[in-house]
Amino acid sequence: MRLSKGEKIVYALLILSLIMINPPILNLINNYAKQNPLTGNFPTLWLWLQIWYVVAMASFLIGAAKIKNWKKDYRR
Amino acid sequence: MNTGLIILILYTLSLLGIAYYASLQDKKNIKNFATADSSLGIFLLTLTFSATYHSSYAFLGAAGYAYKNGIGWWVNGIWTVFPGVLFWILGRRFWFLGKKYGYISLPQFLNDVYQDNRIGLLTTVITMVFTLPYVAMQAIGSGYIFDVMSDGKLSYELGAIIFLLIMIVLVWLGGMKGVAITDAAQGVFMWIGLVIGSYIVIKANFPSVGDAYTEAFKVIPDHFTLPGPYGAVTYTDWVSRWALVTLGMMMFPHVTLRFFAGRDLRVLKWSAVFSSIYLTTIYVFTPAVAFIGHIIFPNMANPDIIFPEMLLKLTPIVFASLVISGALAASMSTGDSQLHAVATMISTDVYKEI
């Protein structure tokens, strides 16, 4: 099945979110957090994870609202 | 009679009332019992999926793990965000096959794919074997909650037995519809209990959440990075834990049954999205609660009880009891769904096949 442009963007953002919260990116952020444990009074590592969780949820939400393929019902 | 016990009794009676109401609409056939005739809407499916997936762990284990091992606990976020995506990718296919071929369980699908009923039976046995200890875990969590809320008047053992009896009555009375409606009520209770309860515990001690983290950092700096104070959250542990939970949860029978219960694909899609949001937001204050727990109750022997302990010590008893009822909701909403799934498997995949 061919993916629409919107679908490709949503899947890319979901995959990117997963990459950003896992090694080896996670190792880099963790090393940064060791030097700067708090950012704006919140744990740096928690903030980083939270940002990417929000990106993943937002792209899923937008995908659900906009992607036409996701609106199609299967033929019975 | 103490306040906690009164709230506990009222809470249990309301659940039984909801299940009785659902039983009045029951059509007394297996498809209705197992999947509510695929009639659940977005609100019910979102909350029954979410409340079923996250158990007493939400109140007891989560804060306990963060208390002990630090911010690495928030790998948990991966298994709250991404199961919604899997729910949409896999769930809609199961839903479609359920509509087309009348499946109401995963083993029925496997029987047809492999043209051998023994495969389905084997799947049933394996999933049942691994579901029953999970039910026992909910009973353990509930037993503890009964004990705490009744101020020791109901022992842990009696609490666990009462939990199992209530679960059996809920499942027997209402089937999937009853379980879904009680799950929805419990899901609302669980969200309010965790989010509002955590916020009030933090505000009772610090001017803001940021101040709570700043103070905690002075006491437990190792908790703010990986691998945590005991070196537990290594990168290997991180990846293996989220992969196991996120993918493994799709094999839980009480989760897969819900794929067949949605009214249409629109319901499945939005339930998948909203369950991701619901499950991720309930933990927004959990690390802050766990960290300030170190300041207020250092060296706890059993960190799993840090959240209820703080509620009972730092907030009015009526409020604490109501929030801890949310913990009971978390246990019960998972426990009843598991018993319902086991009952469905025994009826459709064992009894009917033999």
Side-chain angles (χ1 to χ4, degrees), chain B residues 135-151:
Chain B
V135 178
M137 276 167 60
Q138 306 315 314
I140 291 168
S142 294
Y144 168 73
I145 293 161
F146 272 89
D147 189 8
V148 169
M149 280 184 75
S150 66
D151 210 13

Side-chain angles (χ1 to χ4, degrees), chain B residues 305-318:
Chain B
I305 60 169
I306 184 67
F307 184 47
E309 199 70 19
M310 286 168 85
L311 280 167
L312 288 167
K313 298 270 165 59
L314 304 171
T315 61
I317 183 69
V318 174

